[in-house]
Amino acid sequence: MKASFQAAEPQPLVRAKTRRARHHPRPGRVVSVSLLLMLSWLGLGIFAAYAFSLWRTGASLAGWLALGGLVIFTLGRVSSFILGRHLNCTLCHGPVLHEKRCHKHAEAFKIAPLSYRTSAVASILSTGSFRCMYCGTPYRLKK
C-alpha cells in the first residue's frame, strides 16, 4: 500500500526581525519628569503616613511633616505637568507621560495594579526605556 502523506524535509525556523527601539530626542526631560512624578508619589506617601500619625498621636510635628509631604506632592505634580506637557511620541505625537482617555495600544506596557503612566515611569527609571502607550513604539533613552 502506498502512503498518502509524505513529510517534507525539516526547514530551519525563520526568525522575525525585531527592530531596535527608537531613540527619544529629549531623554533628559523624560528622566526628569519621571523623577518628579516619583518624588510626588513619595510626598503622597509621606503625607499619608504622617497624617495617620497625627490622627493617632496628635503630635504637632507629625502635622508639620504631613503638610510638608502635601507640599512635595503638589510641587512634584505641578512641575511634572509643566515639564512633561510637550513630551510627545515622535511617531503618533501622543503625550508620553500624560494619559488621555482614548484607547491604549495592545503592546503598551502596563504593570497590573498600576496605570499606564505609572508603568511607563517605572520602566523609564528601572530600564531606561519605555513604550508609547498610544502607538506601542519602543523607545530607548541612550543613543
Side-chain angles (χ1 to χ4, degrees):
M1 177 179 235
K2 192 172 185 179
S4 60
F5 175 77
Q6 184 176 3
E9 290 191 27
Q11 299 291 329
L13 294 175
V14 178
R15 293 187 177 225
K17 288 187 177 184
T18 57
R19 296 187 61 146
R20 187 174 176 204
R22 299 171 59 94
H23 174 69
H24 197 275
R26 302 178 93 179
R29 173 89 42 112
V30 171
V31 170
S32 64
V33 170
S34 298
L35 287 172
L36 284 170
L37 284 170
M38 187 62 70
L39 182 70
S40 71
W41 295 321
L42 179 68
L44 184 63
I46 290 170
F47 170 73
Y50 284 109
F52 181 74
S53 175
L54 177 66
W55 177 68
R56 294 287 287 171
T57 63
S60 64
L61 178 62
W64 285 107
L65 291 174
L67 185 62
L70 192 60
V71 167
I72 289 172
F73 172 74
T74 305
L75 289 177
R77 284 295 173 137
V78 168
S79 56
S80 68
F81 175 75
I82 291 171
L83 289 176
R85 66 181 167 188
H86 295 295
L87 281 176
N88 295 328
C89 174
T90 56
L91 288 179
C92 70
H93 303 289
V96 172
L97 292 174
H98 286 287
E99 285 195 52
K100 299 188 301 185
R101 291 186 177 173
C102 59
H103 292 285
K104 309 301 188 269
H105 195 269
E107 293 180 6
F109 177 69
K110 184 174 188 287
I111 300 171
L114 304 177
S115 66
Y116 284 98
R117 177 173 62 175
T118 308
S119 300
V121 167
S123 176
I124 288 167
L125 295 178
S126 63
T127 64
S129 64
F130 66 97
R131 277 190 179 268
C132 175
M133 64 183 94
Y134 301 108
C135 66
T137 305
Y139 283 96
R140 67 184 191 281
L141 300 178
K142 293 183 179 180
K143 283 228 179 205

